[in-house]
Amino acid sequence: QQVYTTAGTHTWTKPSGITKVKVFVTGGGGGGSGVGGNQYDDTGQGGAAGGTAIKVIDVSSISSVTVTVGAAGQASNTQAANGGQGGTSSFGSHCSATGGEGGRSGTSNVAQANPGVGSNGDINLYGGTCATSGAVLNLLNNTQNHVSLFGFVGGSSFWGGGPSAAWWTTGGFGQTTKAGHGNGAPGSGGGGGSGAANPSSSIGGNVAGGGTHGKAGIVVVEQYK
């Protein structure tokens, strides 16, 4: 098999004796949004995952095919800003899969980011979406003046789950802001940013954790004689 994971355009060249291929084409994942609401005690929505197309192709009369791997959607580190869209992946004109939308941000609940979807495959799959439908106020644990806020994780792709979301905490454990880690399966959506709530005020300080980028797509070509 040949595996393409770097965003951009590549060329698949048929090895000698190969007559058929089975391709898995997954679009890029959307980036996580910034803080979801008009205050810093809200949370960011995760990006949606890229779709996947799976197809068996007779390549007896084909010598090469242009392969495109969709780029990752970039996270927003700005309050109330959406994450970036993931790019489309394709195996020539045979099949393709669109990328997932970036996480959506707003002052009230909004629709989930739309996932990507495969097309022209023998099997066409949607990517996963964020677990929440919009910007919400996280649950607050006010014991000993302690607050923890977490962004929402993005959608899983055909290949698995995505990067973690950001989080922020204060109170007895000290104040800290951490962005989510960047590890995740190809085509998965990035995690959302976290807000920062101040227990003694209605609006917290601007110390929100940024969201995480989505993951680039992937094209896997299994080769058969």
Side-chain angles (χ1 to χ4, degrees), residues 1-2 18 20-24 220-224:
Q1 69 179 12
Q2 296 187 44
I18 295 300
K20 291 182 175 63
V21 297
K22 182 179 183 181
V23 297
F24 299 78
V220 177
V221 185
E222 295 181 349
Q223 303 162 153
Y224 299 92

Side-chain angles (χ1 to χ4, degrees), residues 195-214:
N198 184 341
S200 63
S201 175
S202 61
I203 301 178
N206 185 8
V207 293
T212 48
H213 304 310

Side-chain angles (χ1 to χ4, degrees), residues 131-163:
T132 181
S133 62
V136 300
L137 176 66
N138 272 275
L139 296 176
L140 306 182
N141 175 10
N142 288 311
T143 303
Q144 295 182 343
N145 213 29
H146 176 68
V147 177
S148 294
L149 298 174
F150 299 87
F152 288 101
V153 176
S156 297
S157 73
F158 172 80
W159 306 97

Side-chain angles (χ1 to χ4, degrees), residues 4 6 17 37 41 44 62 65 95 104 118-119 126 130 143 160 172 198 212:
Y4 303 89
T6 302
D41 58 356
I62 297 172
V65 175
C95 59
R104 296 176 177 176
S119 61
Y126 283 95
C130 182
T143 303
N198 184 341
T212 48

Side-chain angles (χ1 to χ4, degrees), residues 2 12-19 59-65 223:
Q2 296 187 44
W12 172 80
T13 301
K14 181 178 68 176
S16 176
I18 295 300
T19 61
V59 294
S60 298
S61 60
I62 297 172
S63 60
S64 64
V65 175
Q223 303 162 153

